[in-house]
Amino acid sequence: MKKVLLQCSIILLPALIGIFYPIQKIFYGLLSLLTIDVTKFDEILKSIISNERIISIICGIIFSILIYIWRTKANKDKQFNTADKYNKYPIWVFWLASKGLGYGKVSLVRVPIYLQYKLLLKDTFHETLVDEVEEKVLPVVLTERNMDHDSKELNLVLIDTYNITDEQIPSDKIQLPTIIIKSGNEIDSNRSFNPEFIKEIRKKTHALSKNYIQLNVFSTTNTNHNTSIVNKCFKNGGRTGFKNVYVYQASRSNHVFNDSYKVL
């Protein structure tokens, strides 16, 4: 977030200074470095506007636009979140980094799962980076329970890098119809990509999407699996069938899925 706020401040600074300080002299100095005829430019500007304050504001805005163009070109091939820390930023920070500052890449590593879904569903960045893992076909374990329960909500529990127990599911959701799919990775907490896991998730979400209005996702999936799940199960031109999809995020302290986020 500091990176975004700093660059935005640098871009906006000339425009703000131009309101209170005659910035045109600084601006003209910059133009002269670019071999632009400053005298002629000043004459043209003053023939249109005589007020020095307005000229200063205009020069400040042009100055900011030039800095903005420079930063977006510089950021085009850069990755936004390079720091080795947990990137739980508001979605608007990611959006501003991509659409405003021109960052072309984002890593889903160390990003909360609900934010991964949002970034992928909205195509926030041109390129998303994921864990480098090997493809490993493992036996998938499917469990269904409470499917005869009369409800418009469905739980989808995706167990991948580690297990999810009933105690981690909110008490008001535990009795809902529930589909539990295990990738096989949870046995040794290994991070790998299992195509059979994705196939099973796609099959179940497609088959049940017309029967339920809301889907609650409880997941410990790695970034490779999340990318395929979003692209193949939910990112289908609004034809997912579910009216609402909520992703529950486990607390980093007790691993209980108390916080829910609407992603679709």
Side-chain angles (χ1 to χ4, degrees), residues 100-249:
L101 296 175
Y103 280 92
K105 302 176 184 178
V106 69
S107 173
L108 298 184
V109 180
R110 292 181 295 277
V111 172
I113 292 176
Y114 76 91
L115 271 177
Q116 294 181 38
Y117 273 62
K118 286 186 176 183
L119 291 172
L120 291 165
L121 285 167
K122 295 178 182 296
D123 286 321
T124 309
F125 290 81
H126 292 299
E127 183 179 352
T128 53
L129 308 177
V130 296
D131 294 287
E132 293 184 6
V133 298
E134 63 176 323
E135 182 175 313
K136 187 185 295 183
V137 178
L138 299 168
V140 174
V141 178
L142 171 67
T143 304
E144 299 182 1
R145 68 186 189 195
N146 304 329
M147 298 307 292
D148 57 348
H149 184 76
D150 185 19
S151 174
K152 291 298 181 182
E153 287 186 48
L154 173 69
N155 291 337
L156 178 63
V157 181
L158 304 177
I159 299 175
D160 187 21
T161 51
Y162 53 88
N163 195 27
I164 298 175
T165 65
D166 287 350
E167 289 72 23
Q168 293 173 258
I169 306 297
S171 57
D172 61 333
K173 303 296 182 185
I174 196 66
Q175 297 302 322
L176 293 174
T178 301
I179 301 293
I180 303 172
I181 306 177
K182 296 184 178 182
S183 71
N185 281 333
E186 79 284 351
I187 297 173
D188 56 6
S189 298
N190 184 33
R191 290 179 179 271
S192 63
F193 179 77
N194 185 0
E196 294 301 314
F197 183 51
I198 303 301
K199 287 180 183 178
E200 192 63 42
I201 297 170
R202 177 174 170 77
K203 182 170 71 174
K204 284 299 175 183
T205 54
H206 178 74
L208 297 170
S209 62
K210 306 301 180 183
N211 301 333
Y212 297 91
I213 294 176
Q214 180 171 315
L215 181 69
N216 305 316
V217 179
F218 303 89
S219 177
T220 61
T221 42
N222 64 52
T223 57
N224 278 268
H225 282 148
N226 287 332
T227 301
S228 290
I229 290 166
V230 170
N231 289 334
K232 295 185 178 181
C233 301
F234 301 117
K235 193 177 177 182
N236 46 19
R239 300 186 301 274
T240 181
F242 299 106
K243 184 176 180 181
N244 300 310
V245 175
Y246 286 83
V247 173
Y248 280 73
Q249 187 68 34

Side-chain angles (χ1 to χ4, degrees), residues 18 22-24 27-28 41-42 45-62:
I23 201 174
Q24 53 265 46
F27 180 65
Y28 292 162
F41 181 84
D42 183 53
L45 198 58
K46 286 182 177 179
S47 67
I48 301 172
I49 304 166
S50 58
N51 189 302
E52 290 289 335
R53 174 65 63 84
I54 294 177
I55 292 175
S56 175
I57 293 172
I58 292 173
C59 289
I61 292 172
I62 296 174

